[in-house]
Amino acid sequence: ETLPDVSFRAKRPIPATFLSAIGDTLIKDMQYELQSFFQRGAGDTYFSGKMLTKLGRIALVAEEVTELCGKGLSREYKVACDNTTIPTRQEMDATIDHLESSVEIWINGSAETPFIYDDAWGGLVSCGCYFNGEGCDNEVPNCPAFSDQGLDFGNGFYNDQHFHYGYHIYAASIVAHFRPEWGKKYWEQVLLLVRSIANPSREDNAFPLYRHKDWYQGSSWASGVPRPPYLNGKNQESSSEAIAAYEAVALFGKVMEEIWNSEREVSKASIAKEVKEVGQVMTATELRSVSKYWHVKQNNPAERIYPEEYTGNVVGILWQSMFQFGTWL
């Protein structure tokens, strides 16, 4: 089976009929600004990551529109582009500047809610933030994430970390795509996030192998090390975010492999290639498992794995010992 290719773009280009509307919307979207506290690295890793990914996607769409309207065009695209507002170089630079600084703050050691290495379980954990509306009431070394299981969706207890860090890795890969020098500078820092959720090496004693991944089942378990453990075992709700996290790993590896190859850095290019391939395998197995366990084949009895009494078309939360039609509140 061929591993899925990964790309920042869909296989088909933006249809010409949509270009004008997208161009008008882009001009507004490129003014998007993260909340000031996230720009200082204060707050949680989940929602900050989602917002970084949003800003990164805006930059990628702007790049695609600009390229579509800047090369040899069919008549259909030429007419559409003549009626489309194209982002200027200054607007693109401003958006990427904002993305770069907002990604960097979390990994350059100056975040108000920094990542801390936990040598008990071997992983990167957010210090945690008791948010007061403008910032955090706590600061290092007072890190409530190690004791408050409800903080940041349980990040300090390794809950949902592949969701959280997948967003940050994805945003970092976009910055590296636009600014290779930045990618080279923060290569090791982003790798720490990758290693915390997708470490493939038994020789890496700082992180466990594939923290959330269940290779027998193919999918992941989002729950970490809650105390006390859930009676139903481990679980995962957001299968889509698990897929996106591992795709982000593959994309970061792909971008950095190209960068290191261009610099003739053979050793680093080899590591980046491994990161890409690990991400591809983890994405492929997650996709297949999600199709089997989360997507219920009601109209195909041969592929059904759940009793007829279960009438839902999807599983909301998959546990080790049960499945349910519902989500976390």
Side-chain angles (χ1 to χ4, degrees):
E1 180 176 337
T2 303
L3 292 176
D5 191 18
V6 291
S7 173
F8 289 124
R9 297 185 183 178
K11 292 182 179 180
R12 61 188 184 281
I14 298 170
T17 51
F18 298 153
L19 272 177
S20 178
I22 291 175
D24 291 342
T25 303
L26 266 176
I27 301 306
K28 300 174 185 176
D29 286 348
M30 292 175 75
Q31 305 303 313
Y32 174 69
E33 187 172 352
L34 275 74
Q35 289 95 327
S36 60
F37 49 85
F38 281 149
Q39 294 185 52
R40 303 195 312 270
D44 69 277
T45 52
Y46 181 67
F47 288 108
S48 63
K50 288 171 76 77
M51 292 178 182
L52 290 170
T53 289
K54 175 181 176 178
L55 183 58
R57 286 300 308 163
I58 291 170
L60 291 171
V61 173
E63 177 191 46
E64 185 171 2
V65 168
T66 301
E67 288 186 5
L68 276 173
C69 290
K71 59 185 181 182
L73 303 172
S74 66
R75 176 173 174 75
E76 182 184 21
Y77 272 97
K78 187 176 187 313
V79 171
C81 289
D82 285 345
N83 293 283
T84 299
T85 303
I86 309 299
T88 65
R89 182 69 259 173
Q90 291 77 14
E91 288 168 334
M92 280 293 297
D93 286 345
T95 298
I96 299 167
D97 284 345
H98 184 31
L99 178 65
E100 177 183 321
S101 62
S102 299
V103 170
E104 183 178 318
I105 191 70
W106 294 94
I107 58 176
N108 68 4
S110 61
E112 292 181 22
T113 309
F115 287 113
I116 306 293
Y117 180 75
D118 169 30
D119 57 9
W121 291 96
L124 285 186
V125 172
S126 170
C127 175
C129 173
Y130 281 141
F131 192 66
N132 59 25
E134 298 180 356
C136 308
D137 283 333
N138 62 284
E139 59 183 38
V140 178
N142 177 20
C143 291
F146 288 103
S147 57
D148 188 341
Q149 294 192 64
L151 189 63
D152 199 3
F153 298 97
N155 178 280
F157 290 76
Y158 296 92
N159 197 62
D160 293 355
Q161 278 202 358
H162 54 332
F163 303 160
H164 297 213
Y165 298 171
Y167 286 121
H168 283 260
I169 294 165
Y170 182 79
S173 70
I174 296 172
V175 180
H177 163 71
F178 284 110
R179 294 180 174 169
E181 289 299 320
W182 185 95
K184 291 189 293 182
K185 180 178 179 179
Y186 288 100
W187 158 247
E188 292 290 350
Q189 288 87 336
V190 181
L191 266 188
L192 287 173
L193 295 175
V194 172
R195 290 162 64 195
S196 199
I197 64 170
N199 173 33
S201 175
R202 294 185 183 277
E203 297 178 3
D204 187 344
N205 296 321
F207 299 92
L209 291 169
Y210 309 105
R211 185 181 306 279
H212 293 278
K213 194 72 167 178
D214 182 334
W215 286 107
Y216 179 80
Q217 182 151 312
S219 53
S220 299
W221 300 115
S223 48
V225 287
R227 292 293 179 267
Y230 294 115
L231 296 179
N232 296 320
K234 296 181 179 181
N235 72 84
Q236 178 162 272
E237 173 196 48
S238 187
S239 55
S240 60
E241 287 181 298
I243 293 167
Y246 300 137
E247 182 189 33
V249 171
L251 283 167
F252 179 66
K254 181 178 182 178
V255 169
M256 294 308 302
E257 181 186 12
E258 293 172 358
I259 291 173
W260 291 129
N261 276 330
S262 71
E263 297 288 330
R264 301 184 185 276
E265 291 274 6
V266 177
S267 177
K268 290 179 179 177
S270 177
I271 294 171
K273 182 174 186 289
E274 182 178 3
V275 170
K276 177 188 71 176
E277 292 174 347
V278 165
Q280 286 178 293
V281 172
M282 296 180 81
T283 301
T285 51
E286 202 79 21
L287 282 165
R288 175 171 286 204
S289 185
V290 166
S291 178
K292 185 177 184 65
Y293 297 113
W294 273 263
H295 299 169
V296 182
K297 313 300 191 298
Q298 295 288 12
N299 299 321
N300 190 342
E303 293 189 20
R304 278 187 60 92
I305 62 172
Y306 297 118
E308 293 181 0
E309 289 77 7
Y310 188 78
T311 59
N313 291 319
V314 295
V315 167
I317 303 176
L318 184 69
W319 297 77
Q320 286 181 300
S321 60
M322 62 175 281
F323 54 95
Q324 69 181 99
F325 186 77
T327 58
W328 290 102
L329 299 177

